[in-house]
Amino acid sequence: MGLLNGKTALITGASRGIGKAIAVLYAREGADIALTNIADDDEFRSTVKELETIGAKAKGYVSNAAKFEESQQVVKDVVRDFGRIDILVNNAGITRDTLLMRMTEEQWDAVIAVNLKSVFNLTRAAIMVMISQKSGSIINMSSVVGVSGNAGQSNYSASKAGIIGFTKSVAKETGSRNIRCNAIAPGFILTEMTEKLPEDVKKEWTNKIPLKRGGTPEDVANTALYLASDLSSYVTGQIIHVCGGMLT
Ligand code: NAI
């Protein structure tokens, strides 16, 4: 008996990394999976196949989470194909790291649109479905730097801090409808996003982590499973740090 039997999850930006790990774990726990990606590439198609191999009903949708209309459409398409949405994971995210004095307007706007506006777009659309179902769990991917700030990431940190305010507000607005909304704040997780960081930066970060290692996408997925499942039925409006103690 899986923890998510009979549930449908919509996960944004799930072709690889943390989003993919969440999709795989949810599928193993019995959920049907609708996943989105910005591009219809090999990586995305192979993730959808992998989920089907696990035995889940899975379908990939090419949709830019930063676009309001596309997000409305993808939620409509998922309801048409799956009949419901029990879990929404707002995972899609990008970085455009640079010091503020060098940051362009494009770098600022891109990060705010993909990381923060996307969370509004998808939640705004999915909330209507969850209200009519009288239940739902929304999980937003923030970051420890949304709490602490980080030099060279003023755009990214601002987007992730914005997610925290949004998460708490949505939890307060929708709790009476049996909809929960929480955020995960991962620390340094080993994915393609962090792979491009210089070696010395990676070493320095790892040294500062009490558990002395970078996290894995599976570490984050385990918390996302808890928040999606009924194990967390009395938990809403919370930000759970998955960071090996980095921000303590
Ligand atoms: P990643 O770069 O490996 O994966 C991001 C995914 O989002 C990819 O599938 C990409 O194609 C997709 N994507 C990008 N823009 C999109 C858009 N506009 N619409 C739809 N899909 C889009 O990143 P990773 O590391 O797996 O991160 C996932 C989330 O976790 C992000 O929100 C990131 O900010 C957050 N996070 C990651 C940390 C890390 O150390 N890797 C730490 C803290 C937070």
Side-chain angles (χ1 to χ4, degrees):
M1 178 80 180
L3 283 171
L4 303 180
N5 276 353
K7 297 194 194 250
T8 295
L10 168 58
I11 308 168
T12 66
S15 71
R16 65 182 197 202
I18 293 170
K20 178 180 174 181
I22 293 171
V24 167
L25 185 59
Y26 282 9
R28 286 198 186 122
E29 291 293 334
D32 293 334
I33 314 288
L35 57 161
T36 77
N37 194 39
I38 184 86
D40 187 17
D41 51 22
D42 289 348
E43 197 172 51
F44 188 43
R45 281 192 290 264
S46 102
T47 298
V48 175
K49 281 216 181 83
E50 196 175 322
L51 296 172
E52 287 167 347
T53 313
I54 294 169
K57 174 176 173 180
K59 186 164 179 183
Y61 301 81
V62 176
S63 177
N64 183 349
K67 300 280 183 206
F68 185 77
E69 291 300 335
E70 287 186 38
S71 303
Q72 293 276 323
Q73 188 58 48
V74 82
V75 164
K76 270 192 205 142
D77 293 347
V78 172
V79 171
R80 180 199 61 210
D81 297 340
F82 289 81
R84 53 189 299 116
I85 300 174
D86 302 287
I87 304 152
L88 168 66
V89 183
N90 284 308
N91 170 76
I94 58 169
T95 52
R96 295 286 183 272
D97 296 352
T98 189
L99 294 174
L100 180 60
M101 65 176 93
R102 293 200 201 108
M103 190 174 290
T104 64
E105 188 183 3
E106 286 71 28
Q107 286 168 326
W108 173 267
D109 286 345
V111 168
I112 298 299
V114 176
N115 295 8
L116 181 57
K117 190 176 178 216
S118 66
V119 179
F120 161 72
N121 290 343
L122 271 300
T123 306
R124 175 69 180 80
I127 206 89
M128 304 313 292
V129 181
M130 291 178 173
I131 286 172
S132 68
Q133 289 171 188
K134 300 189 174 60
S135 71
S137 175
I138 301 163
I139 299 158
N140 298 323
M141 210 51 73
S142 179
S143 166
V144 289
V145 305
V147 180
S148 65
N150 194 25
Q153 288 197 308
S154 58
N155 49 0
Y156 185 81
S157 303
S159 73
K160 295 302 186 182
I163 287 176
I164 292 174
F166 181 82
T167 299
K168 293 183 178 183
S169 303
V170 172
K172 289 183 176 181
E173 276 186 33
T174 62
S176 62
R177 314 258 187 171
N178 195 30
I179 296 168
R180 300 183 294 107
C181 184
N182 294 286
I184 298 175
F188 175 46
I189 309 297
L190 304 163
T191 68
E192 286 181 44
M193 182 181 269
T194 46
E195 209 170 66
K196 55 193 177 203
L197 289 168
E199 275 311 313
D200 55 324
V201 173
K202 289 194 231 179
K203 255 199 194 133
E204 197 191 315
W205 281 38
T206 309
N207 271 335
K208 281 192 207 147
I209 298 170
L211 290 180
K212 296 292 168 211
R213 65 170 178 92
T216 63
E218 291 70 28
D219 288 323
V220 181
N222 285 332
T223 299
L225 172 62
Y226 165 71
L227 289 174
S229 77
D230 295 341
L231 289 176
S232 61
S233 56
Y234 199 52
V235 177
T236 195
Q238 304 305 306
I239 316 304
I240 302 187
H241 292 202
V242 180
C243 64
M246 186 188 204
L247 189 67
T248 302

